[in-house]
Amino acid sequence: MAKKEEVGRANLKTLRSLSVEEEQTPHFLMREREESIDLPCLKFPDHPEKLITRPVIKSGWLDKTPPKGGRRFQRRWVQLDSEYLRYFQNNKEVYSKRMVSLWCIKAVQSVGDQRFELITQSRTFLFRAETNEQQSDWVVCLQKVLEGQQQNGGRSVFSRRSVVSNEGFLDMMSPRTKVYTVIKHRRVYLFKNRQEYLSGVGITDIDLREASLKESSRSFSIVTPYRTFSFLVEGEAERRRWCVCLSECVSCTVPAVRVCERVWSVESNRVCADCGGEGTEWASVNLCVLLCEQCGDAHRCLGASVSQVVSLNDALWTEELLKVFLLLGNSKVNEFWAANVPDGEGLSVNSSSAERLTFITSKYLHRTFRKQHHLAGQQEALNNALCAAVQSDDLVESLSLLFSGADVNCSSSIPQFSSPLALAKHSGQTEQAELLQHHLRSDAVGSEVTSAHSQSGYLFKVASTNRPITEHKPRADFSQRWCRLSTGVFSYYKTEQMTSRCGSMKTSDIVCLSVNSPGNHGYEHTFELYTDGGRVYLFGSDDISTIKGWIRAITTAVLPATLSSVCGLCDRLGRLHCAEGSSGIGWFCLSGSRLQVLLQDSVQNIDLRKLHTLTVCDGVGGMVLGWRGGCVHVCSDRRPHFPGWLNSLRRAAGSGTETLSQQQLTESGTPISIQRCIDHITCHGLMSVGIYRKSGANSRVSVLLDSFLRDARSVCVSGEFEVDDVANTLKRFLRAVRHGVFNGAENTHRWLSVTDLTDHRAKIRQYQTLLSSLPDVNRETLKVLLNHLYCVQNLSDVNQMTTRNLGIVFGPTLFQTDGSDSRTSSVVEELIQNYCAIFNVSEAELQKQLDATSLILNKLSEQQASVKHPSHTICAVYLEKKEEGAELLVQVGVSVTASELVLEVLEMRGIEPPAGETWSCCEIQEKEDLERELHYQEKVLPVYFSLDPESHLLVRKNHYIVDIKQYLSDKVEVCKAGTLQVCELRRDKNRNFSSRRCELNNATFRLYRDIQGSQVEREWTVQELKLYHGYRRKLQPSTPWGLTLFSDRQQWYVCCENEDELIAWMATFLSLKVTDLLHSVNAGFF
């Protein structure tokens, strides 16, 4: 009996262990569905490579499946090191959206279509690369790293056996969510929950070495240089437990009381380095001076790029920084900064704020009074001296060299320690390293960094107005005013001593700050302020540093902190009404061609030159900016600042008459005009005999070139242009572009002088040196162009364009000369011959490019071989209307166009059209009750062969063309937007019309989901659409004024309110589709 019970207990134990194993074994792996937490930085690191504590094995852009199982992939920056795979919102962010411990990854496998899966213990992450090669690289790299870890052994921080300082749930305040928090090895790890902690999937980690801890009654904050993490706790005991653990991990900081005591132990540190006043409670950590409160305010006005002002009570004072100030002291530092201050020009305790700002600007920004270093002006000698000084304890010499022009990032002669900072650390000079690190974060020239909210000083002002200031304002129109920006108010007085204001405005009422180009008005440098009430204020000065100080102060006071912390000195900033912004408001900051937009809580950085669309509709008055990754709809505003925004954005988005760097660009950084011409010739002209030597039709070349110069984004090189037209357009564009590809006459001379060298290797090195000195756009353009010419000469046995012939053609074009200098063709010939060596193109990469070209040519040959039409066909054509037995039989050849067919039919009937009368050839679809006018250069036979039995060709007068011509005659920019009744018929269902917002601009037709235009449902280029007049009889539209749009097999029916609206939409569509519409109308055809 006892034996039976023992056997029963053993069987029961076995069954229980099996059930436990079944419970522990997952039946399937869930892909990542839960939403990750976004932790954006308020400030990005100047040198992000210094934040990397483990060597990065591989990094790059990948697409990954979105949260909650969406179908569209999201682009993420992915980074792999020896312990974790992390992905970030972008390549600038410090804190990841997710991090996966490599110890917890079970397998990595390819799943096809550039995709691969990362399988962990609890879920699967799906990524997608741009190409199959990139996918293979990621899979192989991950598998090698995983194999290496299995061989080396060890375990992750994500483990039950890991020894941690503290762990538990905390309430994060921004974003508001509960996170499972783990402290270990001077790092804080964040997880969604404990299960994720144990399964190896985290959110991010926080490095505590550069952090400080702030405590309050029910919360504490971890302050890093890039963002602040704030947490709520349930009670005092819990808060104390977390803070004690964090305090042990945070970098060794010195208590504020001890900082003051130790700094003031040096006698010269007790008085201000600038005015001599007592009470130095502030310090400029990069200039190494201690300051009083009034002089500290003046330093802040210079901006953090010039003077980094911190309080002695700040928690970021480290032992190393404290030693720097003890070893230097104000007296030693002033032996450099104030060595040449004239008698009577120094500051005193009673100096005004304006006097302090003027003196401090001269002392530190312009370095007027500094001690001249004996190596000043000798860059290489300064750099060598700095590398030697940082290995000693002579901080004064290092400071002197840094502010005399030595490059803090210069290269040393020791490969293992390639920078001054690396040398200082290697030599154990921690104080030198601290000094260098603070200098790395500053810019002695005064870069574009925001400054403090307060500012005061004299400016010159004109009377305010309620209209945009477009005319030149002479100096006589300006009056001197004492201006002050403080506590959210910008006010101006007649003099500094006056207490009654001449006027004021709240900074919250400033909707726009615009900086004018130098010389626009009587004073050299001016800026404009636009208020919410529609007033315009113009201020000016001849001192550029004064204007920059005001711009920095106003920028910081007006913009939200999220945007002002990342933007610098700009051309225009302010707020605009836009649908995507918070409460319908978006903040915009324009600097050159870079636009930073704050929408909701994120800042979008947009290169306006690379916009996909820039639409300004005269009828609506709004503006649409579309770029890769987003779109902004800016609403019209009648206040004076809005027209300035339109003009500024148009200029910044690129112009065909400017330099290559100011052109409209592709995503790769090549001018659109050049790229589209090269793409067209690659597809249709590589086999053309004498390509680039033969001239196209001058009229068509002029039309195409003018289109590119006017708006390259809207140009689609269609079949109406021959390859020689496009080739000649490319040459004329390269010859006409400002400063050319080689960026000016001076650089052109350097390129030509390379032909004097006899040594081949010396030539290649010199070409590479000159190439590296070109602007990025010029360099990329030259690479794309020479790659194309290399492919052209590779087919010279067919097209007869050898390297020599291409050099003769493109030499004078690229160097913008008359062809008398033979060196131009020699340089181009050498660049083509040595393309791979000069641009460091590998044989594999070159072969890949040539294979792609061959593939294009093969497809083109197959298409041409498959199209077989008879040389002549008898076509039935009707005149005016279709009647039984009234058809005209016309012999039509392959090359016959619609205009030639019209002339033939009219001649057969003896009709001579009077002047101003336009005749067209129309495609009539009787069954669908649709009709379409053929373009006068459109080939007839392809259309005739595509007709079904119930369709025919009809020649008749075009009654709409006069109205279309009149509508287009006064249009500067052709676009159209508005509400239409739209119906999409699918399988004879859904015949109802609904009101939708439609837009036609930039050769693109957009259909929105609703009349507000909040979301684009479909988008087509005009060239891929066919427009028919009328719509199917079975539909029941509200008006007879209808249009039908065909795209492949899809049809959209559009209903207009009246005939005028119908003509407007037809005219806009045809004008965007047909490059020379008015020319063809004036010629009597369409």
Side-chain angles (χ1 to χ4, degrees):
M1 187 68 178
K3 187 175 182 181
K4 288 184 178 180
E5 290 179 355
E6 184 177 351
V7 171
R9 283 194 299 270
N11 291 336
L12 181 61
K13 184 177 181 180
T14 303
L15 287 173
R16 285 176 177 172
S17 65
L18 289 174
S19 64
V20 169
E21 290 179 1
E22 289 178 358
E23 290 176 1
Q24 291 178 346
T25 303
H27 296 285
F28 58 89
L29 295 175
M30 293 293 294
R31 283 204 180 126
E32 192 234 342
R33 303 291 193 195
E34 297 185 22
E35 186 174 359
S36 57
I37 297 176
D38 195 11
L39 300 170
C41 294
L42 299 179
K43 175 187 176 183
F44 295 116
D46 296 326
H47 302 275
E49 67 276 1
K50 295 180 181 178
L51 301 177
I52 300 174
T53 56
R54 306 176 187 87
V56 176
I57 300 172
K58 188 174 181 58
S59 62
W61 290 102
L62 290 175
D63 297 329
K64 68 166 293 291
T65 47
K68 302 180 181 178
R71 295 184 178 180
R72 295 183 62 185
F73 281 80
Q74 295 175 331
R75 195 166 178 79
R76 295 287 182 258
W77 178 258
V78 183
Q79 185 173 293
L80 172 67
D81 57 41
S82 58
E83 292 191 20
Y84 306 106
L85 182 132
R86 317 166 195 257
Y87 58 85
F88 302 78
Q89 184 74 23
N90 55 59
N91 58 353
K92 293 184 179 180
E93 292 292 348
V94 176
Y95 304 107
S96 60
K97 295 179 72 68
R98 282 292 195 188
M99 56 187 294
V100 183
S101 172
L102 300 185
W103 304 99
C104 306
I105 297 177
K106 298 175 62 178
V108 180
Q109 61 186 20
S110 171
V111 292
D113 295 332
Q114 297 95 44
R115 296 180 298 171
F116 64 92
E117 289 182 335
L118 204 70
I119 303 174
T120 69
Q121 296 174 357
S122 59
R123 65 184 58 181
T124 298
F125 293 84
L126 179 64
F127 294 94
R128 184 178 67 186
E130 291 186 356
T131 64
N132 286 325
E133 290 184 2
Q134 292 182 8
Q135 174 218 40
S136 177
D137 289 344
W138 275 100
V139 172
V140 170
C141 182
L142 281 164
Q143 289 174 345
K144 286 183 178 179
V145 174
L146 293 177
E147 289 174 4
Q149 285 194 337
Q150 291 174 359
Q151 295 173 1
N152 296 332
R155 64 173 183 267
S156 166
V157 68
F158 306 143
S159 169
R160 290 180 174 89
R161 293 178 292 169
S162 297
V163 179
V164 299
S165 301
N166 200 10
E167 62 178 283
F169 280 102
L170 288 174
D171 288 321
M172 182 181 285
M173 298 172 65
S174 177
R176 194 63 183 266
T177 184
K178 184 182 285 292
V179 292
Y180 193 80
T181 309
V182 175
I183 303 176
K184 182 179 180 181
H185 295 160
R186 301 181 72 178
R187 285 184 176 270
V188 175
Y189 296 86
L190 303 181
F191 306 87
K192 291 280 290 183
N193 49 56
R194 178 170 172 78
Q195 183 60 36
E196 283 198 351
Y197 164 50
L198 298 176
S199 63
V201 179
I203 299 171
T204 192
D205 60 337
I206 308 167
D207 190 349
L208 297 178
R209 292 176 301 171
E210 293 189 4
S212 61
L213 180 65
K214 291 187 178 180
E215 303 180 44
S216 61
S217 58
R218 294 194 58 235
S219 66
F220 63 88
S221 299
I222 302 173
V223 182
T224 74
Y226 315 110
R227 68 164 288 135
T228 299
F229 298 85
S230 299
F231 301 93
L232 286 174
V233 291
E234 294 182 355
E236 176 64 22
E238 183 74 4
R239 182 190 65 79
R240 189 179 299 111
R241 181 171 66 89
W242 281 99
C243 290
V244 167
C245 294
L246 287 169
S247 299
E248 295 174 355
C249 298
V250 168
S251 296
C252 181
T253 58
V254 185
V257 175
R258 288 187 57 204
V259 170
C260 296
E261 290 177 354
R262 293 180 64 184
V263 166
W264 292 339
S265 66
V266 178
E267 186 175 356
S268 62
N269 287 346
R270 300 174 189 171
V271 295
C272 177
D274 292 330
C275 71
E278 295 183 355
T280 53
E281 297 180 355
W282 299 88
S284 175
V285 292
N286 63 315
L287 302 178
C288 300
V289 290
L290 289 147
L291 310 164
C292 66
E293 185 174 358
Q294 291 85 352
C295 290
D297 289 340
H299 274 256
R300 278 189 286 270
C301 291
L302 299 180
S305 61
V306 179
S307 181
Q308 300 169 11
V309 182
V310 299
S311 170
L312 295 186
N313 296 320
D314 199 299
L316 293 178
W317 279 85
T318 61
E319 185 66 30
E320 290 77 13
L321 180 60
L322 187 56
K323 287 181 180 179
V324 170
F325 278 80
L326 291 175
L327 292 172
L328 288 174
N330 279 352
S331 60
K332 291 183 180 180
V333 174
N334 264 338
E335 289 177 3
F336 169 72
W337 285 118
N340 300 303
V341 177
D343 295 337
E345 290 192 18
L347 294 180
S348 67
V349 179
N350 299 321
S351 297
S352 65
S353 57
E355 290 172 339
R356 291 175 192 266
L357 180 59
T358 301
F359 176 82
I360 288 170
T361 301
S362 298
K363 182 178 178 181
Y364 298 104
L365 183 60
H366 303 312
R367 306 177 197 170
T368 306
F369 315 122
R370 69 175 178 179
K371 181 180 180 180
Q372 192 73 13
H373 198 281
H374 68 280
L375 296 177
Q378 305 174 49
Q379 188 63 56
E380 186 176 355
L382 284 170
N383 294 344
N384 293 336
L386 178 62
C387 292
V390 297
Q391 299 179 69
S392 68
D393 57 0
D394 193 348
L395 288 173
V396 176
E397 176 66 9
S398 298
L399 183 74
S400 175
L401 289 165
L402 287 169
F403 287 99
S404 295
D407 184 3
V408 71
N409 292 309
C410 67
S411 178
S412 70
S413 58
I414 305 176
Q416 297 89 341
F417 313 105
S418 58
S419 67
L421 181 60
L423 286 173
K425 290 181 177 180
H426 174 68
S427 304
Q429 298 295 333
T430 56
E431 293 80 15
Q432 293 276 14
E434 185 75 15
L435 176 64
L436 291 171
Q437 285 175 338
H438 285 288
H439 197 78
L440 282 168
R441 302 186 189 110
S442 68
D443 180 4
V445 180
S447 64
E448 302 171 343
V449 180
T450 55
S451 62
H453 289 66
S454 59
Q455 181 84 358
S456 60
Y458 278 106
L459 290 173
F460 295 89
K461 173 186 176 296
V462 299
S464 64
T465 179
N466 58 359
R467 296 175 178 272
I469 301 174
T470 56
E471 70 280 3
H472 173 81
K473 293 291 184 182
R475 295 176 78 96
D477 289 354
F478 286 81
S479 301
Q480 190 179 44
R481 293 289 182 264
W482 174 260
C483 301
R484 174 181 292 173
L485 175 63
S486 180
T487 62
V489 178
F490 181 96
S491 52
Y492 48 94
Y493 306 79
K494 196 166 185 178
T495 64
E496 181 180 1
Q497 291 74 28
M498 297 290 291
T499 57
S500 59
R501 300 173 180 172
C502 296
S504 65
M505 67 191 87
K506 294 181 179 179
T507 55
S508 59
D509 290 336
I510 298 176
V511 296
C512 180
L513 164 65
S514 176
V515 183
N516 297 316
S517 301
N520 261 20
H521 299 287
Y523 284 90
E524 183 69 12
H525 307 285
T526 55
F527 65 87
E528 299 169 14
L529 295 178
Y530 296 80
T531 66
D532 202 10
R535 303 297 297 179
V536 185
Y537 298 82
L538 175 63
F539 298 88
S541 174
D542 285 330
D543 184 10
I544 181 61
S545 61
T546 299
I547 294 297
K548 283 186 176 181
W550 279 103
I551 293 171
R552 292 189 184 103
I554 295 172
T555 299
T556 308
V558 171
L559 291 181
T562 307
L563 183 55
S564 64
S565 62
V566 296
C567 78
L569 288 177
C570 55
D571 303 323
R572 196 176 187 91
L573 62 88
R575 60 178 185 261
L576 293 169
H577 294 286
C578 65
E580 294 79 4
S582 177
S583 302
I585 296 293
W587 289 90
F588 294 73
C589 183
L590 177 64
S591 179
S593 60
R594 184 186 67 165
L595 179 67
Q596 293 173 298
V597 184
L598 175 60
L599 303 173
Q600 304 295 341
D601 296 326
S602 63
V603 177
Q604 302 283 344
N605 286 281
I606 308 164
D607 189 341
L608 292 177
R609 300 170 301 173
K610 297 182 180 180
L611 285 179
H612 291 185
T613 58
L614 173 59
T615 306
V616 180
C617 294
D618 296 333
V620 181
M623 174 172 53
V624 180
L625 302 177
W627 66 94
R628 182 178 181 178
C631 183
V632 172
H633 295 73
V634 180
C635 304
S636 176
D637 198 322
R638 295 186 178 182
R639 289 175 294 182
H641 71 289
F642 192 70
W645 273 110
L646 297 184
N647 295 331
S648 298
L649 291 172
R650 278 173 166 168
R651 286 195 302 270
S655 170
T657 59
E658 298 298 329
T659 63
L660 285 177
S661 297
Q662 295 170 293
Q663 299 286 322
Q664 298 177 9
L665 305 179
T666 63
E667 286 293 335
S668 62
T670 308
I672 292 176
S673 308
I674 294 175
Q675 190 65 61
R676 290 191 179 170
C677 288
I678 289 177
D679 290 345
H680 184 83
I681 294 169
T682 300
C683 292
H684 305 286
L686 287 181
M687 308 287 284
S688 177
V689 178
I691 186 68
Y692 289 117
R693 294 200 74 165
K694 295 189 296 183
S695 299
N698 190 57
S699 59
R700 292 195 295 265
V701 172
S702 298
V703 168
L704 184 57
L705 181 61
D706 291 342
S707 301
F708 276 128
L709 295 179
R710 187 169 53 252
D711 185 10
R713 293 186 190 92
S714 63
V715 178
C716 180
V717 184
S718 60
E720 62 184 284
F721 297 102
E722 302 293 339
V723 290
D724 293 327
D725 300 334
V726 181
N728 206 16
T729 300
L730 174 60
K731 291 191 296 181
R732 284 179 57 176
F733 179 86
L734 291 169
R735 181 178 284 275
V737 69
R738 188 179 171 194
H739 297 328
V741 176
F742 297 108
N743 198 34
E746 185 178 349
N747 286 325
T748 296
H749 177 72
R750 295 194 185 101
W751 282 85
L752 293 176
S753 63
V754 180
T755 57
D756 298 333
L757 300 176
T758 56
D759 183 68
H760 178 72
R761 292 183 179 179
K763 277 189 176 183
I764 299 300
R765 288 195 298 270
Q766 185 62 17
Y767 279 133
Q768 290 177 332
T769 301
L770 293 173
L771 187 68
S772 64
S773 66
L774 289 177
D776 293 342
V777 176
N778 295 56
R779 186 165 56 252
E780 184 64 27
T781 300
L782 194 59
K783 180 179 180 180
V784 169
L785 182 62
L786 290 173
N787 171 259
H788 171 65
L789 296 181
Y790 187 92
C791 294
V792 172
Q793 64 85 32
N794 197 51
L795 299 168
S796 59
D797 55 336
V798 178
N799 58 38
Q800 305 301 313
M801 293 304 293
T802 62
T803 304
R804 173 66 176 164
N805 291 339
L806 290 173
I808 294 173
V809 171
F810 275 93
T813 298
L814 295 181
F815 286 96
Q816 300 180 338
T817 64
D818 57 2
S820 59
D821 191 344
S822 62
R823 293 181 300 172
T824 60
S825 58
S826 299
V827 170
V828 174
E829 190 175 344
E830 289 175 353
L831 290 176
I832 298 173
Q833 290 172 342
N834 301 285
Y835 163 71
C836 295
I838 295 173
F839 288 93
N840 296 318
V841 178
S842 64
E843 292 184 5
E845 183 180 353
L846 179 64
Q847 189 59 48
K848 182 179 178 181
Q849 295 169 354
L850 295 176
D851 291 343
T853 304
S854 300
L855 182 62
I856 293 173
L857 295 176
N858 292 336
K859 287 186 177 180
L860 183 61
S861 300
E862 292 173 2
Q863 292 174 358
Q864 291 175 345
S866 63
V867 178
K868 297 180 180 179
H869 292 313
S871 58
H872 288 83
T873 301
I874 303 299
C875 300
V877 185
Y878 295 90
L879 183 65
E880 296 285 11
K881 62 179 180 179
K882 181 181 180 182
E883 294 179 346
E884 188 68 29
E887 70 271 11
L888 296 174
L889 300 180
V890 183
Q891 185 173 333
V892 179
V894 176
S895 61
V896 172
T897 62
S899 63
E900 294 171 339
L901 178 63
V902 171
L903 289 174
E904 180 73 16
V905 170
L906 294 180
E907 186 177 351
M908 291 175 65
R909 285 301 178 92
I911 300 175
E912 294 185 6
E917 190 174 84
T918 303
W919 288 74
S920 302
C921 180
C922 303
E923 172 193 349
I924 308 295
Q925 297 186 12
E926 298 178 56
K927 182 179 179 181
E928 303 293 341
D929 201 16
L930 302 175
E931 55 187 57
R932 177 179 73 90
E933 282 83 6
L934 275 64
H935 181 253
Y936 79 101
Q937 290 184 333
E938 189 172 353
K939 301 296 190 293
V940 175
L941 275 186
V943 179
Y944 185 76
F945 288 136
S946 67
L947 296 178
D948 58 51
E950 297 185 6
S951 302
H952 61 274
L953 296 179
L954 179 70
V955 174
R956 69 179 181 192
K957 297 177 184 178
N958 195 323
H959 300 288
Y960 278 123
I961 206 66
V962 176
D963 297 325
I964 290 175
K965 181 179 178 182
Q966 183 179 357
Y967 176 81
L968 295 175
S969 61
D970 59 345
K971 294 292 180 182
V972 178
E973 183 176 357
V974 181
C975 60
K976 178 69 178 170
T979 303
L980 294 173
Q981 298 292 318
V982 181
C983 172
E984 179 189 13
L985 191 62
R986 295 181 179 177
R987 299 179 182 178
D988 290 338
K989 298 180 180 180
N990 185 27
R991 302 181 184 179
N992 298 325
F993 284 80
S994 58
S995 296
R996 312 276 280 278
R997 176 178 173 79
C998 302
E999 284 186 4
L1000 261 175
N1001 53 74
N1002 288 344
T1004 304
F1005 178 75
R1006 295 183 187 83
L1007 179 66
Y1008 293 83
R1009 291 188 180 276
D1010 48 37
I1011 60 176
Q1012 287 79 20
S1014 58
Q1015 186 176 3
V1016 177
E1017 180 179 351
R1018 293 297 302 274
E1019 181 176 331
W1020 304 269
T1021 62
V1022 172
Q1023 297 300 329
E1024 64 181 302
L1025 294 175
K1026 281 189 177 181
L1027 177 70
Y1028 287 81
H1029 183 205
Y1031 28 43
R1032 299 177 68 172
R1033 296 172 182 173
K1034 63 176 68 176
L1035 300 178
Q1036 298 178 353
S1038 56
T1039 73
W1041 316 112
L1043 299 170
T1044 300
L1045 294 172
F1046 278 77
S1047 174
D1048 295 330
R1049 299 181 181 180
Q1050 196 171 11
Q1051 303 171 20
W1052 295 80
Y1053 304 96
V1054 179
C1055 181
C1056 303
E1057 290 187 5
N1058 50 56
E1059 190 173 13
D1060 291 339
E1061 188 75 5
L1062 175 74
I1063 292 171
W1065 282 99
M1066 285 180 59
T1068 306
F1069 182 90
L1070 294 174
S1071 179
L1072 294 174
K1073 189 175 181 68
V1074 181
T1075 307
D1076 54 347
L1077 177 62
L1078 289 178
H1079 171 75
S1080 61
V1081 171
N1082 293 330
F1085 296 105
F1086 175 72

